[in-house]
Amino acid sequence: MIAQIIIDIPAQQTNRPFDYAIPEALDHLVQPGMRVLVPFGRQGHLRQGFVWQLADTSEFKDKLKPIRKILDLEPVLNQEALDMAAWLAKDTFSFLISCLQTMLPNALRANYQRFFSLKAPLSADSPLIPLLDSPLHGKFPAQLDPKLGQKIKLLEQQGVLTIDYQVSQRLGIKKVLVYRNLLTAAMIQAQLIATRANARQQLLLLNFLHDHLTFTGTWADWQEQLPELSRSTLTSAVKKQWLASQEVESYRRPTSLETTETAHQLTAEQQTALAAINPQIVAQQQQVFLLEGITGSGKTEVYLQALAEALRKGRTALMLVPEIALTPQMVNRVRQRFQKQVAVLHSGLSAGERFDEWRRIERGEAKVVVGARSAVFAPLKNIGVIVIDEEHETSYKQTEMPRYHARDVALYRSSIHHCPVILGSATPSLESRARAQKGRYQLLRLTKRPQAAQLPQVNILDMRQADKVSGKTSLSVNLLTALQQRLAAGEQSILLLNRRGYANFIMCRDCGQVIKCPNCDISLTLHQDIQALKCHYCGHQEPIPQVCPHCHSRQIRSFGVGTQRVEQDLQALLPTARILRMDVDTTSKKGGHARIIKKFGQHQADILLGTQMIAKGLDFPEVTLVGVINADTSLSLPDFRASERTFQLLTQVSGRAGRANKAGEVIVQTYNPDNYAIQLAAKQDYETFYRQEMHLRHLGGYPPYYYTILVSVSHAQEDLTAQKIFQIQRQLLPILSPQAVVLGPVPQMIARINNRYYYQLIIKYKQEPKLFAALQQLTQTMQKESGFQLRIDREPLQFS
Ligand code: ADP
Ligand code: ZN
Ligand code: ZN
């Protein structure tokens, strides 16, 4: 037998299966989707690869080298995943190996250890004897010799041996102990009687347990409840078996599962939506629904009940959210509703935990998967429904190879699994909304908030005319007064500093020079916290200069407003306010988002100040004021989606106010009070925005009227890069129809990154039957020219 192997080298030259012989010892053991080691290249170094297919013959029959070792005893990717990888590679102009790697949990790329347990001792001549570390337990080497692999497989099939995996933890993951009560009420009574009256600490603990039988938490959580409790009391309670202690990773909130959430009584609009969706789950129809619902209209409830319907029908469900760290409330709601059936996949998990979750899904133990972009590849079988929350979010598009959009992968999988897809958003992408207009998606709308909750009153504040707080150009008296009122009333506020298209940089006031990166054509960004300038493209870092490097003037200043500055200013103006800041600096540590969100949710702060990461999915009933410090910055981006992004951001953040029965107010500070995106976001009027923006896209010939493809080349020499992109243009023009438009070639917005030059062109098209073949051809020919890198990005969300 022959195995066709995809070698683990992401390059055009290796982007095809290579034939290898399957040695006799591995006969019937090697299957598609397994990882193996094979000799590769002239030197014959061992390389990892995936078994792609098995075949009977090969044109190189006699010259074939054999597979040396196997890394798996079971395929790590099933046939659906392999087929999906083939589709994805073609659809996104990616290397097959990059697609295969994307579908695997990180853990399989990290170090992991395999163990085995035996039912009975081995015979003395068994080849497994050297692996034993105790009579019934042993450890495998990471790479299995064919003979050994076969032996193990046989023993496993005979039920003599079971295999277990453990992933060695990545460094830097913090573990904490969580303490949980083990006593029943009656046992506590008994202990209270048996305990001496002067054993104050123990009585304190027992009395607390008596009223809180299910309380679970870290030492800090216990301390919060019982400030006088000493740590040694807690430890000795574990020894006495009053409490159990367990190590968990510090970001995990084991308490979150203690509560359960029950389904709401549906509103009429929610009912209508589910009446359309659920029959399609039952009928196993691939139908896409666009659930367009204003913020706080109860889209989540619709998702949850659709997931429940799929489970009732014995199927599984997949739910994607933009970023797990930013949406802890959403994840908790899913877990509270479906408990142990849920697997959560996110980058905050250690490699080991991610692997555990992945295997729970693979084995069918977890039936609901919640996760960010890459969770769309979760190895679920028999999917009954796929939900994509906040479908307009750009984080669903991967910017590195494979450059896929999770929405497209979800649609692909729904066609394989015959299931409906729900795309949900208050501000759908124009692409999706336009498809609903054409009837390709079914539009479902939620136009009201349930119960008493009202949409907030939005005030647009013209910063050209508004009174500013003295000495603060970015803060109006109105906004400050509104903040003071909330403070006095004991209510909470959220403040957005729109940093999209906006950065802190350093400029000399005398010569006007901006401090730039030595490797890239971009200014360095000021990071106050580490007192350094950093390049966001290549990572170059340097200390903040005291004098201008060009003219030696001391008049060197930072421009732009950072969250840190705003926080300082606010604190000076509102000395009693408790302010929480949420931005890249305060959330870079693991669990940073969750900590801040939890604190704010418990009303331990009055003001949450942050960048766009505060705009999404947060649901705090006590928030009655949302302030937008600078609505405009994202309008000036050189991108045809600038208005759409601004509209989305302002709508989302405004939706954070007045979600419960208290009325909400939003103040939007802007220098463009008449701009339609700002005006319509203030009214939460998506439908009018959609029509107006579609009109402009039509005039400009932009998506969704046209498809777009970005072709970019880079090289260390600028002249060669430019020549190459013009050559590509000459190659493509003859095969394109007159309807297609080629923009460029131009240098990229940041033309030099890490001392490589980037040139690009954009093709706008409607129907180009020859284009894809031509681009595939291009990827083939580019391989022969060294030093060039080619990037082809379908429907890019960034044009720079
Ligand atoms: P969205 O996801 O559309 O922004 P949510 O699903 O977060 O909105 O719902 C907003 C609030 O309304 C939540 O607190 C939710 O619990 C509540 N809610 C949703 N559906 C109902 C309902 N049918 N009856 C009462 N409250 C509901
Ligand atoms: Zn200067
Ligand atoms: Zn740089």
Side-chain angles (χ1 to χ4, degrees):
M1 283 291 270
I2 313 290
Q4 299 178 340
I5 312 272
I6 306 287
I7 305 293
D8 194 356
I9 304 173
Q12 190 58 49
Q13 294 91 317
T14 49
N15 192 29
R16 63 178 176 87
F18 290 85
D19 290 354
Y20 284 87
I22 301 176
E24 215 167 301
L26 288 179
D27 222 11
H28 304 295
L29 197 56
V30 173
Q31 289 170 50
M34 282 182 174
R35 295 165 315 147
V36 294
L37 290 181
V38 292
F40 188 75
R42 226 172 281 155
Q43 317 281 325
H45 286 312
L46 284 192
R47 286 286 192 166
Q48 190 176 314
F50 281 86
V51 180
W52 182 246
Q53 262 178 342
L54 301 182
D56 293 326
T57 55
S58 163
E59 50 178 308
F60 310 106
K61 209 160 175 34
D62 311 325
K63 286 180 271 174
L64 290 186
K65 293 178 200 152
I67 293 175
R68 280 292 175 72
K69 309 230 163 166
I70 51 176
L71 296 173
D72 305 303
L73 289 168
E74 295 290 335
V76 287
L77 292 176
N78 59 23
Q79 194 58 47
E80 189 208 341
L82 296 176
D83 292 343
M84 185 154 52
W87 164 78
L88 191 64
K90 193 152 180 261
D91 200 64
T92 62
F93 300 94
S94 303
F95 303 135
L96 205 43
I97 191 66
S98 308
C99 298
L100 293 168
Q101 293 289 18
T102 299
M103 289 175 192
L104 277 189
N106 276 331
L108 287 177
R109 287 174 251 170
N111 294 325
Y112 71 108
Q113 181 69 59
R114 266 172 306 204
F115 298 94
F116 59 87
S117 311
L118 297 160
K119 294 258 161 63
L122 294 164
S123 60
D125 59 347
S126 167
L128 269 60
I129 292 278
L131 306 180
L132 290 178
D133 53 14
S134 68
L136 291 177
H137 190 268
K139 235 192 221 175
F140 294 152
Q143 303 163 4
L144 287 179
D145 206 65
K147 280 230 179 68
L148 202 57
Q150 204 185 34
K151 180 78 187 164
I152 292 162
K153 189 80 190 178
L154 193 70
L155 291 175
E156 194 193 16
Q157 276 161 2
Q158 293 168 345
V160 179
L161 161 157
T162 52
I163 299 173
D164 218 358
Y165 302 79
Q166 195 183 344
V167 177
S168 46
Q169 300 289 345
R170 264 191 239 136
L171 293 176
I173 290 165
K174 205 171 121 208
K175 292 257 181 181
V176 291
L177 280 176
V178 165
Y179 301 90
R180 171 170 55 94
N181 176 30
L182 291 174
L183 303 176
T184 62
M187 289 158 84
I188 293 172
Q189 288 292 2
Q191 288 291 351
L192 277 169
I193 295 165
T195 305
R196 284 174 296 121
N198 62 356
R200 285 236 202 88
Q201 285 273 326
Q202 293 179 23
L203 290 173
L204 178 75
L205 180 63
L206 286 167
N207 275 315
F208 175 78
L209 289 177
H210 186 262
D211 299 331
H212 302 86
L213 282 174
T214 59
F215 187 78
T216 302
T218 61
W219 163 232
D221 297 330
W222 284 86
Q223 232 179 353
E224 213 169 89
Q225 299 289 328
L226 292 169
E228 300 132 77
L229 189 75
S230 74
R231 183 141 202 181
S232 58
T233 310
L234 211 58
T235 326
S236 69
V238 174
K239 289 210 191 89
K240 291 199 191 92
Q241 302 205 333
W242 294 359
L243 301 179
S245 70
Q246 189 190 354
E247 255 197 352
V248 297
E249 293 195 356
S250 57
Y251 62 84
R252 277 211 170 165
R253 301 278 318 142
T255 39
S256 65
L257 272 179
E258 297 280 300
T259 54
T260 53
E261 209 215 36
T262 44
H264 284 288
Q265 186 71 33
L266 295 176
T267 64
E269 288 181 329
Q270 286 171 328
Q271 253 167 29
T272 310
L274 280 162
I277 297 164
N278 284 354
Q280 306 286 31
I281 296 175
V282 177
Q284 311 204 349
Q285 284 290 329
Q286 191 211 8
Q287 165 74 46
V288 185
F289 295 95
L290 178 61
L291 182 63
E292 178 191 320
I294 60 165
T295 54
S297 59
K299 294 183 288 295
T300 311
E301 189 61 35
V302 174
Y303 305 150
L304 293 176
Q305 298 213 16
L307 300 183
E309 177 73 5
L311 296 190
R312 270 196 297 278
K313 293 288 171 275
R315 310 187 80 196
T316 63
L318 175 60
M319 173 157 173
L320 301 182
V321 295
E323 261 173 276
I324 291 272
L326 301 184
T327 47
Q329 291 181 317
M330 172 69 91
V331 175
N332 279 342
R333 282 172 75 181
V334 180
R335 291 177 65 193
Q336 282 164 4
R337 196 68 69 86
F338 301 106
Q339 305 280 324
K340 292 213 167 65
Q341 301 188 77
V342 180
V344 181
L345 291 177
H346 63 88
S347 53
L349 295 179
S350 69
E353 280 172 319
R354 222 181 138 88
F355 191 36
D356 287 348
E357 291 292 75
W358 192 79
R359 285 173 59 233
R360 278 181 62 220
I361 302 164
E362 156 103 308
R363 287 195 300 247
E365 290 165 18
K367 305 221 177 295
V368 179
V369 173
V370 187
R373 181 177 63 223
S374 64
V376 76
F377 300 113
L380 281 168
K381 294 176 190 103
N382 197 17
I383 301 175
V385 67
I386 303 176
V387 174
I388 302 186
D389 186 32
E390 309 286 3
E391 68 90 32
H392 64 278
E393 279 289 331
T394 50
S395 62
Y396 285 125
K397 171 87 196 255
Q398 178 152 297
T399 48
E400 267 105 59
M401 187 188 277
R403 298 185 177 85
Y404 68 93
H405 196 296
R407 193 202 294 130
D408 299 329
V409 180
L411 291 180
Y412 169 87
R413 289 195 86 179
S414 75
S415 73
I416 305 286
H417 289 260
H418 308 290
C419 69
V421 176
I422 308 172
L423 306 176
S425 177
T427 54
S429 63
L430 263 70
E431 285 81 356
S432 293
R433 182 62 186 79
R435 278 179 198 146
Q437 196 67 32
K438 281 186 151 181
R440 282 180 55 199
Y441 298 169
Q442 187 176 337
L443 183 63
L444 302 168
R445 292 184 63 200
L446 304 179
T447 60
K448 298 189 221 31
R449 288 185 168 182
Q451 293 177 318
Q454 295 294 315
L455 277 178
Q457 166 75 37
V458 182
N459 301 312
I460 297 176
L461 199 72
D462 184 350
M463 286 298 273
R464 294 168 306 187
Q465 323 229 317
D467 290 332
K468 316 264 167 45
V469 176
S470 77
K472 308 282 172 251
T473 48
S474 59
L475 193 61
S476 65
V477 173
N478 291 37
L479 183 52
L480 182 64
T481 311
L483 285 168
Q484 280 163 336
Q485 284 166 355
R486 296 313 182 292
L487 265 181
E491 296 170 357
Q492 290 180 294
S493 307
I494 288 179
L495 271 185
L496 170 76
L497 186 72
N498 183 1
R499 308 258 326 195
R500 200 159 258 168
Y502 196 73
N504 269 343
F505 56 93
I506 290 212
M507 192 169 94
C508 170
R509 291 204 169 177
D510 283 337
C511 74
Q513 290 271 7
V514 171
I515 302 205
K516 286 192 163 178
C517 175
N519 309 320
C520 313
D521 284 341
I522 189 153
S523 52
L524 293 171
T525 302
L526 174 66
H527 285 250
Q528 288 283 10
D529 53 332
I530 50 169
Q531 283 294 307
L533 298 174
K534 240 181 169 173
C535 172
H536 283 191
Y537 285 82
C538 73
H540 168 86
Q541 189 170 321
E542 60 183 64
I544 302 170
Q546 300 298 312
V547 296
C548 170
H550 306 280
C551 74
H552 306 291
S553 156
R554 292 194 165 271
Q555 295 292 329
I556 183 160
R557 293 279 185 285
S558 68
F559 284 78
V561 188
T563 37
Q564 228 160 2
R565 264 290 291 288
V566 175
E567 185 188 15
Q568 282 167 12
D569 289 354
L570 275 178
Q571 197 67 79
L573 292 163
L574 305 166
T576 60
R578 296 165 300 168
I579 304 174
L580 274 175
R581 179 161 61 91
M582 189 153 151
D583 55 23
V584 277
D585 294 332
T586 60
T587 56
S588 56
K589 286 211 197 81
K590 188 172 284 294
H593 296 97
R595 247 194 317 276
I596 294 170
I597 289 168
K598 181 184 161 209
K599 224 170 156 187
F600 194 63
Q602 292 175 339
H603 209 143
Q604 292 183 39
D606 306 299
I607 299 174
L608 176 63
L609 162 71
T611 52
Q612 38 271 14
M613 58 176 79
I614 61 167
K616 290 172 204 165
L618 301 181
D619 188 12
F620 298 117
E622 298 293 310
V623 172
T624 57
L625 173 70
V626 167
V628 179
I629 295 173
N630 51 345
D632 312 284
T633 43
S634 52
L635 276 178
S636 53
L637 284 177
D639 184 333
F640 70 87
R641 288 193 178 92
S643 297
E644 188 182 357
R645 299 272 174 266
T646 306
F647 177 82
Q648 286 162 349
L649 181 61
L650 294 181
T651 309
Q652 297 288 345
V653 74
S654 304
R656 302 308 118 213
R659 290 176 74 88
N661 34 32
K662 289 184 186 165
E665 184 188 3
V666 180
I667 296 178
V668 178
Q669 299 190 149
T670 173
Y671 287 91
N672 297 283
D674 303 324
N675 179 281
Y676 68 105
I678 291 176
Q679 290 266 342
L680 292 170
K683 292 191 201 137
Q684 301 253 323
D685 186 355
Y686 173 78
E687 283 293 309
T688 306
F689 175 78
Y690 165 69
R691 282 193 297 273
Q692 188 146 347
E693 184 68 13
M694 283 295 274
H695 178 63
L696 294 175
R697 299 281 178 92
H698 187 65
L699 291 179
Y702 285 117
Y705 289 98
Y706 280 84
Y707 296 112
T708 50
I709 285 189
L710 183 140
V711 180
S712 137
V713 279
S714 75
H715 193 277
Q717 258 174 279
E718 185 165 20
D719 51 346
L720 293 182
T721 320
Q723 277 167 24
K724 180 52 94 190
I725 196 78
F726 278 99
Q727 186 196 327
I728 292 173
Q729 185 198 26
R730 281 195 302 275
Q731 251 170 282
L732 291 177
L733 280 178
I735 62 109
L736 292 173
S737 73
Q739 282 86 40
V741 181
V742 176
L743 304 177
V746 288
Q748 258 176 30
M749 196 157 73
I750 297 151
R752 184 177 56 124
I753 298 171
N754 225 349
N755 291 319
R756 286 184 74 86
Y757 292 85
Y758 288 82
Y759 276 67
Q760 68 178 38
L761 55 84
I762 292 164
I763 306 162
K764 298 198 295 182
Y765 67 101
K766 291 195 171 181
Q767 260 201 326
E768 292 298 329
K770 292 187 197 150
L771 177 59
F772 286 81
L775 290 174
Q776 298 288 6
Q777 182 63 37
L778 188 62
T779 60
Q780 307 283 329
T781 50
M782 285 287 284
Q783 61 162 298
K784 298 182 191 98
E785 297 166 78
S786 64
F788 285 105
Q789 265 168 24
L790 176 72
R791 173 163 73 103
I792 298 179
D793 194 353
R794 275 182 85 175
E795 300 308 312
L797 293 181
Q798 283 168 357
F799 285 83
S800 47

